[in-house]
Amino acid sequence: MALPNARLRGVTVLVQLAPPVSLDPNTQKDLQRAVEDRAVEINYVRRATEGVEFGRRHPNSREQLRVSARPQRLSIEEVFPRADMQFVVKEMDEIVKAALETLRPGILAAITVRVRKQASAPGGDARVYLGERVLQLPQDRTRAFGRPIHMVGVKFMLPPFQLTSEGEGTVSAHDTDGIEVRIESLNEDIADLYVECEHHFLEARKPSSFDGLEGFIQNTEKFMDRQVAEFLQIADSDEGS
């Protein structure tokens, strides 16, 4: 299964830094220069006593890159990227590496990846599809509101889990990550679903062991394209369903 006609709306990466790092004016400038030295285009900077934000805006497009550094967190967000996912991951990697070089955190306490996509809803109306086919809400329930429904959505929080087995024939499973899933009808286009998957990788890591974001983003995207699509019981037309 796969989300039908899926288009990327954005990717966000949050890196928790421990202990809190220093972000004095000189360190803020060093971080900005280190990012630019890695061929990441920047056209605005906002400095504050508690941190710095910089990035890239396009006047005639919703595309945007936003980098925010605070003593305990580094946030990187790509909104409506025109480039493919491979370029997005590479650019984010360069920003994280620049931050590790200049901010020198002791530990990466956690990494969170949020992937946002929109996908075609079977039948051409995401509100009807979510309400009647996925959530199976009877009309007498929705009639209780006494007015039309403009948007339908659902959110799930999937915490870390551990299953233990006793005896033969049982399977044990363990997952230290947390996942949040948000599915809504898209306000700007009722024919499409808005799907967001936020994956919390809660294992602490040493900065020296960081070798890129590709695995984190791939795991998040794979969960969206497989498990979320299976929950929605829809498949891409290329698969013949």
Side-chain angles (χ1 to χ4, degrees):
M1 278 192 171
L3 294 173
N5 194 25
R7 287 90 76 199
L8 183 64
R9 291 177 65 91
V11 181
T12 302
V13 171
L14 304 173
V15 182
Q16 301 294 332
L17 310 175
V21 299
S22 172
L23 275 162
D24 57 74
N26 288 333
T27 305
Q28 293 181 18
K29 293 176 184 177
D30 289 342
L31 173 59
Q32 177 192 340
R33 282 194 294 265
V35 170
E36 291 175 317
D37 288 344
R38 291 177 174 271
V40 177
E41 179 189 352
I42 294 172
N43 60 20
Y44 82 90
V45 181
R46 291 177 180 170
R47 304 191 191 282
T49 55
E50 71 278 6
V52 61
E53 179 185 312
F54 54 83
R56 182 176 66 240
R57 297 193 187 99
H58 297 267
N60 301 317
S61 170
R62 290 191 292 177
E63 182 183 9
Q64 184 177 354
L65 166 67
R66 182 165 55 242
V67 181
S68 174
R70 296 292 184 268
Q72 292 180 302
R73 186 182 71 179
L74 173 70
S75 170
I76 310 167
E77 184 176 18
E78 295 258 15
V79 180
F80 291 101
R82 287 180 289 185
D84 59 19
M85 182 67 88
Q86 185 176 3
F87 179 85
V88 171
V89 174
K90 183 179 184 303
E91 188 168 61
M92 287 185 162
D93 273 345
E94 297 300 332
I95 295 169
V96 174
K97 291 173 183 176
L100 297 182
E101 289 177 2
T102 56
L103 304 182
R104 298 183 178 87
I107 290 291
L108 308 182
I111 295 176
T112 296
V113 173
R114 185 185 305 127
V115 176
R116 299 179 296 279
K117 292 186 178 183
Q118 70 185 82
S120 300
D125 191 322
R127 299 167 300 179
V128 173
Y129 183 75
L130 282 175
E132 296 183 5
R133 292 185 57 183
V134 177
L135 301 178
Q136 299 183 8
L137 296 173
Q139 289 188 359
D140 58 346
R141 292 279 301 279
T142 56
R143 253 191 238 112
F145 294 118
R147 60 181 63 199
I149 296 175
H150 180 65
M151 189 269 285
V152 176
V154 62
K155 182 176 181 179
F156 299 97
M157 181 177 178
L158 312 174
F161 71 93
Q162 182 172 3
L163 300 177
T164 57
S165 59
E166 295 182 2
E168 297 181 357
T170 57
V171 178
S172 62
H174 177 66
D175 193 334
T176 59
D177 303 333
I179 300 175
E180 296 181 51
V181 178
R182 178 180 159 198
I183 308 166
E184 298 174 353
S185 57
L186 191 63
N187 284 335
E188 63 204 59
D189 186 349
I190 61 171
D192 280 355
L193 295 162
Y194 171 88
V195 184
E196 177 180 290
C197 185
E198 186 169 292
H199 198 147
H200 304 278
F201 300 90
L202 302 176
E203 180 183 351
R205 294 167 173 82
K206 295 181 179 180
S208 58
S209 68
F210 177 81
D211 58 359
L213 295 167
E214 183 176 7
F216 301 102
I217 294 176
Q218 279 185 350
N219 285 344
T220 307
E221 193 175 25
K222 186 182 298 183
F223 187 91
M224 174 183 287
D225 291 341
R226 293 184 181 179
Q227 276 83 355
V228 175
E230 183 177 350
F231 166 78
L232 291 172
Q233 295 186 332
I234 54 179
D236 193 275
S237 58
D238 291 342
E239 296 184 356
S241 295

